[in-house]
Amino acid sequence: MRACSGAESEAALRLGVALELIQTCALIQDDVMDRSPTRRGRPAVHIALAEQRGLAADAGARAVFGASAAVLAGDLALVWADDTVDETFLPLGRRRQVRALWRAMRGEMIVGQYLDLRGQIDGGVPAARALRTAYLKSALYSVERPVALGAALAGADEWTTDALCSASRCAGVAFQLRDDLLGVFGDPAVTGKPSGDDIREGKPTFLVAVARTCADAAGDHRALAVLDRAVGNPDLDETGLEEARSVLESTGARAMVEDKAERLGDRAARRLAQAELDAHGGEQLLGLLNAVAGTRAVPLTLLQEGRTQ
């Protein structure tokens, strides 16, 4: 909103709160679906709720309480998010824009999560579908739609909005690709979540899809066999996990995904530079997109100079 020279308003703060609440809903319920024990280095909500009642969160029927209570907590966060948007005063035209974006975002978030779940059952998801899942389950509701909401609040024109959405879409997908890498190769002490769980859960990540494609193209049957044994195996031990990591590297998948994330981050910055933005607000937004994409910082003024040359 500031990047588009929008005036400060209570509406912006309220929509920020609503976005935090819908993000909370998504994270709580994602952890339940993935049976993730931790979030940001602390017990996930379904684990914490079970432990508060003195229950073993992984002990048969008792685990149902923690999971069920967490689903309710996520639902409550979603209801509060909707209430916050509904009770936010906006001029009629902008209210229609905001409501349309909000409705689209809720549906996209659910579709993305469903594709993620279905991919764990289907197995062997093609790279294109894995990338679409990453876009829907993460990039849209986490980055692109919030940026579009800010542009709508500021009354930005169509050209500016398109440039902002394109930039934030690239940054959001880059974020998810790097998150997939961290899910396999990251240090739990840094990421706050277990390493290797994406493999054990059979997550339909772009990383695994690329590895399968590369191994198949090279006729590397050993690599394919390792992936078949490891991906979706909840009992995978550390030796098996190391084998899978080795295949992800030897097939070139890790390097290719890192390169794609880097290129997406660069594209996000270049696309942002094509919009006519407030100097200070634009620099702040670029900093956020760089942080999301995990790419190097380049001043917006330099990118804009390159645009005009």
Side-chain angles (χ1 to χ4, degrees):
M1 183 195 72
R2 289 171 176 162
C4 296
S5 303
E8 296 294 320
S9 67
E10 180 181 323
L13 294 175
R14 292 182 63 85
L15 289 183
V17 168
L19 286 166
E20 287 292 340
L21 285 167
I22 203 167
Q23 171 84 347
T24 297
C25 164
L27 296 185
I28 290 173
Q29 297 192 351
D30 184 61
D31 286 342
V32 171
M33 293 176 206
D34 292 344
R35 298 177 296 281
S36 298
T38 60
R39 170 67 66 174
R40 296 172 182 164
R42 301 177 64 183
V45 170
H46 62 287
I47 300 295
L49 288 171
E51 290 177 346
Q52 284 176 8
R53 306 305 303 168
L55 303 173
D58 58 351
R62 293 183 175 185
V64 173
F65 171 80
S68 301
V71 168
L72 291 175
D75 288 346
L76 185 58
L78 178 59
V79 168
W80 282 347
D82 276 345
D83 287 348
T84 302
V85 174
D86 283 338
E87 295 167 7
T88 298
F89 173 77
L90 290 164
L92 184 59
R94 291 185 187 178
R95 178 175 178 79
R96 286 174 178 163
Q97 273 186 289
V98 165
R99 288 300 302 168
L101 287 167
W102 186 260
R103 285 193 297 270
M105 181 181 69
R106 288 181 312 186
E108 291 155 356
M109 182 180 74
I110 292 169
V111 170
Q113 187 64 23
Y114 171 74
L115 288 177
D116 188 57
L117 289 171
R118 199 179 80 182
Q120 294 176 50
I121 298 299
D122 293 347
V125 172
R129 182 171 147 191
L131 203 59
R132 175 165 174 74
T133 300
Y135 172 56
L136 284 166
K137 73 163 286 192
S138 183
L140 263 171
Y141 93 92
S142 293
V143 190
E144 183 178 346
R145 291 307 188 191
V147 168
L149 286 167
L153 283 174
D157 60 43
E158 186 176 351
W159 168 263
T160 298
T161 300
D162 285 348
L164 288 170
C165 287
S166 177
S168 52
R169 184 181 314 131
C170 290
V173 174
F175 166 81
Q176 186 57 53
L177 296 185
R178 292 191 189 280
D179 192 59
D180 291 344
L181 289 164
L182 289 172
V184 178
F185 299 101
D187 179 357
V190 176
T191 64
K193 61 181 182 179
S195 181
D197 274 8
D198 284 0
I199 295 292
R200 294 186 177 97
E201 292 162 9
K203 286 281 188 179
T205 65
F206 185 65
L207 174 65
V208 170
V210 169
R212 288 189 187 278
T213 300
C214 291
D216 188 54
D220 190 342
H221 300 295
R222 177 193 167 277
L224 289 170
V226 168
L227 292 175
D228 287 341
R229 287 196 303 270
V231 178
N233 178 4
D235 300 319
L236 187 69
D237 59 19
E238 281 302 313
T239 300
L241 182 57
E242 280 304 318
E243 279 189 305
R245 288 184 179 125
S246 178
V247 165
L248 293 173
E249 296 201 67
S250 65
T251 57
R254 180 179 185 178
M256 291 172 67
V257 173
E258 288 172 344
D259 179 67
K260 187 171 184 65
E262 188 68 28
R263 286 186 285 110
L264 282 168
D266 290 342
R267 192 184 306 167
R270 291 197 304 273
R271 194 71 177 94
L272 187 69
Q274 294 175 351
E276 297 298 330
L277 302 175
D278 170 79
H280 179 69
E283 286 289 356
Q284 295 297 308
L285 181 55
L286 176 61
L288 287 171
L289 293 186
N290 282 334
V292 165
T295 50
R296 65 186 183 281
V298 177
L300 187 61
T301 50
L302 290 181
L303 292 168
Q304 289 170 331
E305 288 171 6
R307 178 189 70 186
T308 59
Q309 289 176 357

